[in-house]
Amino acid sequence: MAFKQDSDDGVYLRDSVQTAAKILVVGHFAVGKTTFIGTMSEIPPLRTEEVMTQAGEGIDDLKGTPGKSTTTVAMDFGRLTLSENLVLYLFGTPGQQRFVQVWEDMSRGALGALVLVDPERLEESFPIMDLVEQYGIPYTIAVNRFTDSQNHEDAEIREALDLLPETPLVTCDARDQRSSANALIVLVRYLQSRLS
């Protein structure tokens, strides 16, 4: 397998990669999208985080997100090489309703979406799932387990989100590389199954 140095920061690109896949990492505000991409990216992720200001008071609900002081205003981007022939480009979208216009551009060419949900704020996932379905993007639900969240059964979450039986549901911790990688693997396998 051939590598070439991309820059002096030690990041290497494979020049034998044959297929690149665009994957969206989506979810409501403060669900862990930026953390997920940072955990999974093999390159330093591109982040468009800005400090939250008083202008967001009353608009961005910080309930259940102690210590959150920044928010994504355009996108997050990361890259993950799965094999010699397949690289995933991970695009994280802002979760607030006011950034919904970004979705049209972000959804173009996306093969699938990993929808992160917080089991304590499932109702905030509905507008995001509506957008994913509106743009016809196949998706997997990844329940981001926060350390202080209750343990909900998969059947409860499926019912609450009104998921079709074939929609994959997986649990992950966006801070943990192994469980986050598993969530991406479930999505990729689901996308492959739709092609066969």
Side-chain angles (χ1 to χ4, degrees):
M1 172 178 336
F3 293 88
K4 63 181 176 182
Q5 191 164 1
D6 183 36
S7 66
D8 292 335
D9 63 6
V11 176
Y12 289 84
L13 298 175
R14 298 171 191 246
D15 55 9
S16 62
V17 172
Q18 296 176 5
T19 304
K22 180 179 182 181
I23 300 294
L24 298 183
V25 178
V26 300
H28 57 74
F29 173 69
V31 75
K33 300 174 297 290
T34 298
T35 300
F36 184 94
I37 289 176
T39 297
M40 292 310 303
S41 183
E42 65 194 15
I43 62 172
L46 167 69
R47 293 186 171 128
T48 58
E49 291 271 297
E50 292 294 334
V51 174
M52 297 174 68
T53 65
Q54 280 186 315
E57 276 184 38
I59 298 171
D60 296 332
D61 185 3
L62 295 174
K63 173 186 65 187
T65 59
K68 183 162 179 65
S69 61
T70 61
T71 187
T72 301
V73 295
M75 69 172 191
D76 296 313
F77 173 79
R79 185 186 73 210
L80 178 63
T81 303
L82 290 186
S83 71
E84 290 184 24
N85 299 320
L86 179 61
V87 171
L88 299 182
Y89 291 108
L90 306 172
F91 289 82
T93 61
Q96 298 98 315
Q97 192 66 29
R98 66 183 178 275
F99 294 116
V100 77
Q101 200 61 37
V102 173
W103 275 76
E104 187 173 344
D105 292 330
M106 296 284 280
S107 65
R108 287 192 189 114
L111 291 184
L114 188 68
V115 180
L116 287 178
V117 300
D118 178 345
E120 301 303 316
R121 300 184 293 154
L122 289 177
E123 70 283 352
E124 294 179 39
S125 300
F126 297 137
I128 302 300
M129 292 172 62
D130 288 345
L131 282 171
V132 171
E133 291 174 357
Q134 175 184 333
Y135 287 108
I137 303 169
Y139 62 92
T140 292
I141 298 292
V143 180
N144 190 12
R145 295 277 185 208
F146 295 86
T147 50
D148 56 349
S149 65
Q150 285 184 296
N151 195 11
H152 299 278
E153 296 293 325
D154 286 357
E156 291 178 275
I157 293 172
R158 283 187 164 284
E159 183 177 348
L161 294 177
D162 195 25
L163 298 179
L164 295 173
E166 64 270 15
T167 303
L169 175 71
V170 65
T171 299
C172 76
D173 178 340
R175 300 163 297 184
D176 178 69
Q177 191 173 43
R178 179 174 284 178
S179 70
S180 296
N182 183 59
L184 281 175
I185 289 167
V186 169
L187 173 61
V188 169
R189 287 183 177 153
Y190 176 59
L191 295 175
Q192 288 174 329
S193 74
R194 292 171 52 90
L195 296 174
S196 49

